[in-house]
Amino acid sequence: MKRKKEKYQKKNKHFENENHKAKKKYGQNFLNDSSLSDEILNVANIDEKTEVLEIGPGLGFLTEKLIENSKFLTAFEIDDDLIPFLTKKFEKKENFKLIHQDFMEADLGNFFENRQNVKVVANIPYYITSPIINKLLKYRENIDEIYLMVQKEVAERIASQPHSKNMSLLTHAVQFYAEAEYLFTVPKEKFDPVPKVDSAFLRIKILKDKRYESQISEEKYFKYLKEAFSNKRKSIANNLIKLGFSKDVVGNALEKTGKTRLARTEEFSVQEFIDFIEILEG
């Protein structure tokens, strides 16, 4: 009887997961490693005082650990077929709320009202990484940290440092508001189905002191930055011609910041680029 029961449970579990195959249209790759969920929980410092927002709980491997260790977990899930599965799986959990909605269409203003120091944890689709990050950063006043499972190459770009070939507009778009840290690499075999590339777990910690926002408006900063990165093969002096500056004017400003006249934008940290704009306008 015991063997039959175990065989039935095993078969049932297999059947249960078979009903929830990942969908390409949502870019789904489900975590299938319990030890990895424990590692994520550990580095994210989730405890009984932490309120967590999860994007795309999938089959709930990580969700289960987050519920057990946090004060409250709210999860956004777009997949119609996963809602009954997740609802049944966590129906007895009082510190859990499942929202059946596309996260990108959700009104986060309502969600974050009266919420502070929220931690975001998400295994997000590769194709929508930047839009999700940009949306979260709009609510940085209410968020403490963002932990994301993203494509390895994207994580390297976001957490890159000046003079790196990975330095990009996305790097600055994150580091203007937060500190980004590449935590660890996640082999592609840890997901089901197995994606073509490895992933990485990334920490984005919001700068509560607003060290850069207090020096320059985001509108001005990104106006210059977008033009400076408009052609990475060209020097910053060539790219800023579109803003009405001559090569000599830009070159002089570059030299005053300790750069060469042929400097490219990937050489700049956020602070260095702010200094450069001030000198250029001054």
Side-chain angles (χ1 to χ4, degrees), residues 223-246:
K223 179 186 77 172
Y224 280 94
L225 194 72
K226 285 175 182 177
E227 290 301 333
F229 270 117
S230 60
N231 191 330
K232 290 191 72 174
R233 293 183 180 181
K234 291 184 178 181
S235 68
I236 193 169
N238 277 311
N239 285 336
L240 291 187
I241 289 175
K242 294 177 183 178
L243 292 180
F245 295 100
S246 69

Side-chain angles (χ1 to χ4, degrees), residues 161-266:
Q161 298 299 314
H163 296 283
S164 166
K165 64 179 182 179
N166 292 318
M167 203 73 176
S168 67
L169 184 60
L170 179 60
T171 312
H172 281 261
V174 173
Q175 294 186 15
F176 185 76
Y177 305 108
E179 291 178 341
E181 182 181 0
Y182 185 109
L183 294 175
F184 54 82
T185 302
V186 182
K188 56 188 177 182
E189 292 78 18
K190 298 285 186 181
F191 298 90
D192 182 26
V194 178
K196 294 180 180 180
V197 296
D198 290 335
S199 295
F201 201 54
L202 178 76
R203 175 194 286 128
I204 299 175
K205 185 173 180 59
I206 303 300
L207 295 171
K208 294 300 182 181
D209 61 3
K210 299 185 178 182
R211 66 190 66 167
Y212 304 128
E213 291 181 79
S214 62
Q215 298 179 57
I216 189 172
S217 70
E218 57 185 353
E219 290 79 13
K220 180 186 289 188
Y221 184 80
F222 288 105
K223 179 186 77 172
Y224 280 94
L225 194 72
K226 285 175 182 177
E227 290 301 333
F229 270 117
S230 60
N231 191 330
K232 290 191 72 174
R233 293 183 180 181
K234 291 184 178 181
S235 68
I236 193 169
N238 277 311
N239 285 336
L240 291 187
I241 289 175
K242 294 177 183 178
L243 292 180
F245 295 100
S246 69
K247 288 185 181 180
D248 281 341
V249 170
V250 176
N252 291 337
L254 286 168
E255 288 183 341
K256 289 179 181 178
T257 60
K259 307 290 183 183
T260 70
R261 287 178 171 265
L262 296 176
R264 286 182 166 79
T265 317
E266 57 262 32

